[in-house]
Amino acid sequence: MGKSKLLFITHEMSPFLELSKISEITRQLPQAMQEKGYEIRILMPRFGNINERRNRLHEVIRLSGMNIIINDNDNPLIIKVASIPAARMQVYFLDNEEYFQRKHVFEDKDGKFYADNDERMIFFCKGALETVKKLGWAPDVIHCHGWMSALVPAYLKTTYKDDPTFKHSKVVYSIYENDFKGQMNPDFARKAVMGDMTEKHTEAFKAGTNTALYEGAIQYSDAIVLGSEHIDEDVLNNVKNSQKSVLEFNSTADFENYYNFYDEIANEELVNVV
């Protein structure tokens, strides 16, 4: 048997973008798992404040050129890649001029939440899965970090559930402190529908708040990681009521607990939520 394949999907990662504690764990955890024998891939958005020259990003022509449809509009997807030489890891960046080429990440210079953050999120989640398909790389475990990846579990358990690339993939979602201060466009849940999904499949996300995004991700994930010591009480209750496998918060340096958790999840029966 070859190496087990582990995919990380995140909206931030050190040293490229450091907004919260998520950037630290998404830098350290993949390397730790690679050193323990996993084959790793990492995907994140190419936000406008990520310096291409300094980080040596370059376009991957064979992966670029796809269009991601949102609200009946075609949005071109450009894939770029950068290496972390010290860790021998590559990071794939999803780029789109309209959605990501801005000086600020989620809020404008006046601190106002971008009105199209819902579409930026949908673009990233759909684009991430289409990129992995185009790579021809079938992950055993997909670990999502941050609110911007919250739709990935829903898409995996609906539109992509029979896709050969993801048919046997387990999806893990990390819950963090509430650092999401905005609210999605009221039409978010409708726009998020894709393939043979209906609005019933995105009902949990409808309120467009941090709690709602987490609730939807919890509903569709195979397992949950508590990534912070302090987590919103409503979110914790959602986790508890889900009866999913949970990795409790533990800030150990060697990530052995994650390694064992991935192994345990990979061998469990797939969760059927549809």
Side-chain angles (χ1 to χ4, degrees):
M1 260 182 78
K3 290 183 179 181
S4 293
K5 298 180 176 71
L6 178 56
L7 172 67
F8 291 92
I9 300 178
T10 179
H11 66 242
E12 61 177 291
M13 178 186 178
S14 179
F16 307 108
L17 183 66
E18 297 172 340
L19 303 172
S20 71
K21 285 282 187 184
I22 295 175
S23 68
E24 294 177 22
I25 195 164
T26 52
R27 167 62 184 87
Q28 297 163 2
L29 178 58
Q31 182 175 352
M33 293 304 103
Q34 182 171 262
E35 289 170 357
K36 292 178 186 293
Y38 272 101
E39 190 177 321
I40 302 295
R41 296 287 185 276
I42 305 162
L43 299 177
M44 67 177 287
R46 192 292 204 195
F47 290 111
N49 58 353
I50 296 174
N51 189 300
E52 286 204 7
R53 184 175 294 177
R54 187 187 314 130
N55 291 299
R56 298 183 179 180
L57 270 67
H58 60 272
E59 186 176 346
V60 186
I61 303 297
R62 72 181 180 90
L63 296 178
S64 297
M66 291 183 279
N67 283 314
I68 304 300
I69 299 171
I70 301 172
N71 223 16
D72 295 328
N73 294 318
D74 281 350
N75 302 276
L77 172 61
I78 304 298
I79 305 297
K80 297 173 180 175
V81 70
S83 296
I84 303 177
R88 302 192 318 282
M89 291 193 305
Q90 285 191 321
V91 181
Y92 292 91
F93 293 83
L94 280 66
D95 201 359
N96 172 275
E97 187 173 348
E98 183 179 344
Y99 287 139
F100 296 135
Q101 292 307 306
R102 306 170 189 182
K103 290 182 180 178
H104 302 276
V105 182
F106 298 126
E107 301 170 342
D108 65 19
K109 59 182 174 58
D110 300 316
K112 187 179 178 184
F113 196 69
Y114 285 126
D116 65 348
N117 273 340
D118 62 328
E119 294 191 5
R120 299 169 86 210
M121 175 186 180
I122 295 165
F123 178 88
F124 175 57
C125 292
K126 287 183 178 181
L129 296 177
E130 287 299 316
T131 300
V132 176
K133 278 182 64 176
K134 205 161 184 179
L135 277 169
W137 187 82
D140 296 290
V141 177
I142 299 169
H143 192 168
C144 301
H145 298 259
W147 63 265
M148 204 175 182
S149 67
L151 283 168
V152 169
Y155 289 153
L156 285 167
K157 298 298 183 181
T158 54
T159 301
Y160 292 92
K161 70 179 186 296
D162 294 321
D163 189 287
T165 305
F166 303 110
K167 198 171 184 178
H168 302 293
S169 301
K170 302 293 178 57
V171 60
V172 178
Y173 190 81
S174 273
I175 304 289
Y176 292 94
E177 287 184 61
N178 186 350
D179 59 352
F180 175 85
K181 302 294 191 288
Q183 188 165 1
M184 293 297 182
N185 184 296
D187 218 14
F188 166 56
R190 182 193 62 79
K191 291 183 194 175
V193 170
M194 72 174 297
D196 56 359
M197 293 171 73
T198 67
E199 286 186 55
K200 179 187 172 190
H201 292 115
T202 57
E203 181 71 30
F205 298 94
K206 197 167 186 178
T209 60
N210 185 87
T211 301
L213 296 183
Y214 278 169
E215 183 179 343
I218 291 164
Q219 177 184 327
Y220 286 101
S221 294
D222 293 291
I224 306 298
V225 171
L226 302 183
S228 302
E229 190 173 1
H230 304 290
I231 291 172
D232 181 87
E233 198 64 38
D234 288 338
V235 175
L236 279 178
N237 285 333
N238 281 336
V239 173
K240 185 177 179 181
N241 293 335
S242 74
Q243 298 185 317
K244 306 283 175 74
S245 297
V246 177
L247 181 63
E248 300 290 341
F249 175 73
N250 187 340
S251 57
T252 55
D254 64 357
F255 295 106
E256 185 70 24
N257 54 339
Y258 280 84
Y259 178 81
N260 293 332
F261 192 62
Y262 293 142
D263 189 55
E264 175 189 318
I265 296 308
N267 291 302
E268 281 184 358
E269 289 291 319
L270 279 168
V271 173
N272 185 10
V273 293
V274 181

